[in-house]
Amino acid sequence: MSTHAKAAPGGGQGPARPEPVTPTLLRAWPLPGGGSGKDDRGSVLVIGGARMTPGAVLLAGVAALRSGAGRLTLAVAESVAVPLAVALPEAGVLRLPETASGTVKGSSAAAVLAAPVEAADAVLIGPGLDDKDEATALLRALLKVPAGKRPPAIILDAFALGSLPELAGELGPWAGRLILTPNVTEAGILLGHDAGNLARDVPELAEKYGAVVSCQGVIARPVGAARRAGGAEGGGNRASLWEITTGHSGLGTSGSGDVLSGTIAGLRARGTTDEQAACWGTHLHAAAGDRLASRLGGLGYLARELTDELPPLMMELGS
């Protein structure tokens, strides 16, 4: 995996006012290079995909590859593993134990996943999971998996997010490597109150769960993490709150969130910091929506079409 992660440019002393994520900021905060081959661009593991919802994992996996990840493994309910392997031949596919209704069995699946989790650079959990209790059991078991010499980043989306309030006191093993991608409704569940002011509520989420959070175009990292990063980079406190300056309402389409979380996972596997992956990934996702809206119309484009826009957007931004 590439390790040329860079600290965020610019900054300020706190999360009161978001820093706009513009092309200028991103060009000053370049992604790691491509290295000499796929092993230099990191490995992504996507865990999810119940029998009724394998497409969520497919979308996230394609987004991870389109954002430059070198290797991809998908872990899904056993009844959909073979069709998914055929649909995405670029990925390895793991079969997970499932219930009679096709839901991934949480604690049983974790036993299968221990080695793949340890081998990955970024692990995305949630796309296509469809049962909160089983998702909670899965996360609780994965929290006990040894981190290894190079602990992977953990990205949580969809049903995996709904388990976090119950697990809030157990997240220590993932401290410093957790990224959350809630929508506004999920953010309210995580907060325990409606999310109305994202510039206030997203930093609250980041502090509560010790995670970098991307929600509806607002990205935050815990203030303590910003201070540690500033000291490590020798540049004082860095930004802790960012806001995307692009995006289109057509992004509110089925599967769009899976593309976002997969993009962030792919970038993180390449060797970015958590906040760099979140800022870049959220911008790329929004800018891809703009591209499709201008070409196809404001509504009606598909989440799968967003992924094709990622490589040219990264090229235009110099990464």
Side-chain angles (χ1 to χ4, degrees):
M1 180 186 69
S2 177
T3 56
H4 304 297
K6 294 180 179 290
Q13 297 300 313
R17 180 175 298 176
E19 180 170 2
V21 177
T22 63
T24 299
L25 181 141
L26 295 175
R27 289 188 179 103
W29 198 9
L31 297 174
S36 59
K38 59 187 176 184
D39 290 333
D40 295 325
R41 300 198 307 277
S43 172
V44 173
L45 171 64
V46 183
I47 303 170
R51 186 184 302 162
M52 289 292 292
T53 49
V57 170
L58 177 64
L59 288 168
V62 171
L65 290 176
R66 289 292 193 186
S67 59
R71 293 181 181 273
L72 174 67
T73 301
L74 309 177
V76 297
E78 56 188 349
S79 60
V80 295
V82 171
L84 196 57
V86 173
L88 188 57
E90 297 87 352
V93 179
L94 295 172
R95 299 187 304 169
L96 300 179
E98 65 181 76
T99 67
S101 62
T103 292
V104 173
K105 284 186 179 179
S107 56
S108 301
V112 177
L113 290 166
V117 166
E118 189 174 353
D121 296 294
V123 179
L124 169 57
I125 310 169
L129 294 180
D130 62 356
D131 184 279
K132 179 182 176 296
D133 291 339
E134 292 292 354
T136 301
L138 174 63
L139 292 182
R140 182 166 276 130
L142 290 175
L143 278 160
K144 299 175 183 176
V145 172
K149 294 182 179 179
R150 190 178 62 194
I154 305 293
I155 302 97
L156 301 184
D157 188 36
F159 258 77
L161 291 167
S163 301
L164 285 190
E166 185 176 340
L167 299 173
E170 304 174 38
L171 298 176
W174 290 344
R177 56 190 179 104
L178 185 60
I179 303 173
L180 310 180
T181 58
N183 59 33
V184 173
T185 300
E186 291 162 342
I189 293 171
L190 294 173
L191 289 165
H193 61 77
D194 289 344
N197 181 342
L198 293 182
R200 176 200 64 208
D201 294 334
V202 176
E204 181 184 342
L205 268 179
E207 296 296 333
K208 181 175 181 178
Y209 293 100
V212 168
V213 179
S214 173
C215 177
Q216 208 77 18
V218 176
I219 302 102
R221 67 173 171 179
V223 174
R227 291 193 180 115
R228 289 192 296 274
E233 297 293 334
N237 289 349
R238 300 288 181 173
S240 294
L241 184 64
W242 298 265
E243 186 171 25
I244 301 303
T245 59
T246 188
H248 194 276
S249 61
L251 286 169
T253 188
S254 179
S256 179
D258 302 312
V259 172
L260 172 61
S261 60
T263 302
I264 291 173
L267 295 173
R268 183 61 182 82
R270 290 176 57 181
T272 66
T273 61
D274 294 346
E275 60 270 21
Q276 186 182 16
C279 286
W280 266 89
T282 309
H283 172 87
L284 290 171
H285 178 256
D290 283 349
R291 289 281 185 91
L292 292 173
S294 66
R295 193 165 69 245
L296 302 176
L299 299 177
Y301 56 82
L302 305 178
R304 73 181 76 162
E305 295 170 313
L306 293 166
T307 61
D308 290 341
E309 305 297 326
L310 300 177
L313 282 166
M314 288 189 293
M315 183 175 66
E316 290 174 17
L317 292 167
S319 290

